[in-house]
Amino acid sequence: MCIDEKDKPIGIFDSGVGGLTVVREVMRNIPKERIVYFGDTARVPYGSKSKETILRYSRQIVRFLRSQDVKAIVIACNTASALALEELSREITIPIIGVVKPGAKVACATTKNNRVGVIGTKGTISSGLYTDFIRQINPHIHVVGKACPLFVPLVEENWLKDPVTVEVATRYLAELKEQNIDTLILGCTHYPLLRSTIGKIMGEQVTLVNPAYETACRLRELLHEEHLMNETSLEENKNPHRFYVSDAAESFRDFANSILPCEIEKAKKINIEDY
């Protein structure tokens, strides 16, 4: 593989800001890689939309990322991973991964009592994809899914430890606490930002699985396998990453700067419907 190919950026996309948790883990775990991120902030949330709509949106975004000459794509959205990854992987030639499989694999390796919980959007939970992947690995694992749709707007309001968020989380998670799970998958990219709150409610006996971190680890493996790992360090004091959104660029930038390890000067708004 030529050096030019290795120097190309990684494309990462999500329905909004939640995928920035994946970006954060990629920056931490594969620090030499450049990133082109797209957040579909005009059409968020994805969790309540149909498979046909999610597939159409995802194809548009993939076409945009291909126009940015990326070498691999990460679907940093559980809903799009659940509903669009399989078809997209057949339609493009560059590597593409989602966030569902890495999290499912780690949950299977982590559980001791074969009882795993999954929290996510309505779309992710109703798709049953986490359950399907987990049972392919270990058919003896009992999976309990719970949709937590209010978590996304609470995170985007930055109410991470607000009493309202604690109350909502307590009510959502009460059902899972009764199911004697010992492992809980944070099945939406927004949810790692609520990790401490969720952890306190579930207790120390429940291990939380963060698919954002596991996806970054899988991406690193994939880049090695495909001989695509960038081998030259990024220039210091320069931000090599590019961020695009379909709306609300300033609020996106402010949120990104509150969670990422580097400063983002701007996010560029584009018309994704052009792709």
Side-chain angles (χ1 to χ4, degrees):
M1 189 63 63
C2 66
I3 294 296
D4 288 345
E5 201 73 12
K6 293 180 179 181
D7 284 343
K8 291 180 179 180
I10 305 294
I12 302 178
F13 78 87
D14 181 44
S15 58
V17 301
L20 291 170
T21 59
V22 177
V23 172
R24 179 171 64 177
E25 296 298 343
V26 171
M27 287 178 173
R28 288 171 173 171
N29 292 282
I30 329 175
K32 292 182 180 180
E33 296 297 335
R34 293 184 296 121
I35 295 166
V36 175
Y37 181 89
F38 177 78
D40 200 0
T41 45
R43 303 185 295 196
V44 69
Y46 279 13
S48 56
K49 293 179 171 63
S50 68
K51 178 176 181 176
E52 291 73 23
T53 297
I54 298 302
L55 191 54
R56 179 169 65 86
Y57 289 177
S58 298
R59 281 176 172 144
Q60 289 175 330
I61 297 166
V62 166
R63 284 194 286 269
F64 166 70
L65 291 174
R66 295 300 302 273
S67 77
Q68 300 297 304
D69 202 23
V70 298
K71 62 185 177 185
I73 292 176
V74 178
I75 306 179
C77 170
N78 282 266
T79 303
S81 294
L83 302 180
L85 175 60
E86 188 175 346
E87 293 192 44
L88 290 173
S89 63
R90 291 196 296 263
E91 295 172 359
I92 64 174
T93 55
I94 64 172
I96 181 169
I97 62 171
V99 290
V100 174
K101 282 186 179 181
K105 287 180 179 178
V106 170
C108 290
T110 300
T111 184
K112 299 291 192 297
N113 69 356
N114 285 346
R115 299 185 67 83
V116 173
V118 183
I119 54 176
T121 65
K122 289 178 180 178
T124 297
I125 299 303
S126 63
S127 75
L129 199 62
Y130 271 106
T131 300
D132 291 343
F133 280 136
I134 288 170
R135 287 184 177 159
Q136 284 174 24
I137 299 168
N138 184 346
H140 300 295
I141 292 178
H142 177 70
V143 183
V144 183
K146 176 66 179 175
C148 304
L150 290 177
F151 279 174
V152 169
L154 288 168
V155 167
E156 294 193 357
E157 285 291 337
N158 215 16
W159 290 7
L160 303 183
K161 297 183 180 179
D162 190 274
V164 171
T165 304
V166 175
E167 173 63 23
V168 168
T170 301
R171 293 180 66 174
Y172 276 151
L173 299 173
E175 183 181 329
L176 289 175
K177 290 190 73 172
E178 295 172 358
Q179 295 291 324
N180 192 34
I181 63 169
D182 72 348
T183 305
L184 178 62
I185 300 173
L186 306 180
C188 171
T189 47
H190 285 72
Y191 295 3
L193 298 173
L194 298 174
R195 186 185 185 112
S196 63
T197 297
I198 294 169
K200 286 177 183 176
I201 294 168
M202 294 306 297
E204 292 181 359
Q205 73 279 8
V206 177
T207 300
L208 304 185
V209 174
N210 177 4
Y213 169 75
E214 306 304 340
T215 299
C217 294
R218 174 59 192 137
L219 176 62
R220 184 174 56 203
E221 292 174 359
L222 181 65
L223 294 175
H224 273 302
E225 291 165 6
E226 300 290 333
H227 306 290
L228 288 170
M229 185 74 76
N230 187 19
E231 296 169 348
T232 57
S233 297
L234 301 175
E235 289 186 57
E236 290 186 18
N237 303 319
K238 285 189 177 181
N239 188 343
H241 312 295
R242 304 196 300 274
F243 294 84
Y244 299 88
V245 293
S246 49
D247 198 15
E250 286 191 13
S251 59
F252 173 90
R253 183 201 63 204
D254 292 343
F255 187 88
N257 284 333
S258 73
I259 70 166
L260 293 182
C262 66
E263 188 78 10
I264 297 173
E265 292 182 7
K266 68 174 183 177
K268 184 177 180 181
K269 179 182 174 182
I270 63 165
N271 184 6
I272 195 63
E273 297 285 359
D274 289 343
Y275 291 88

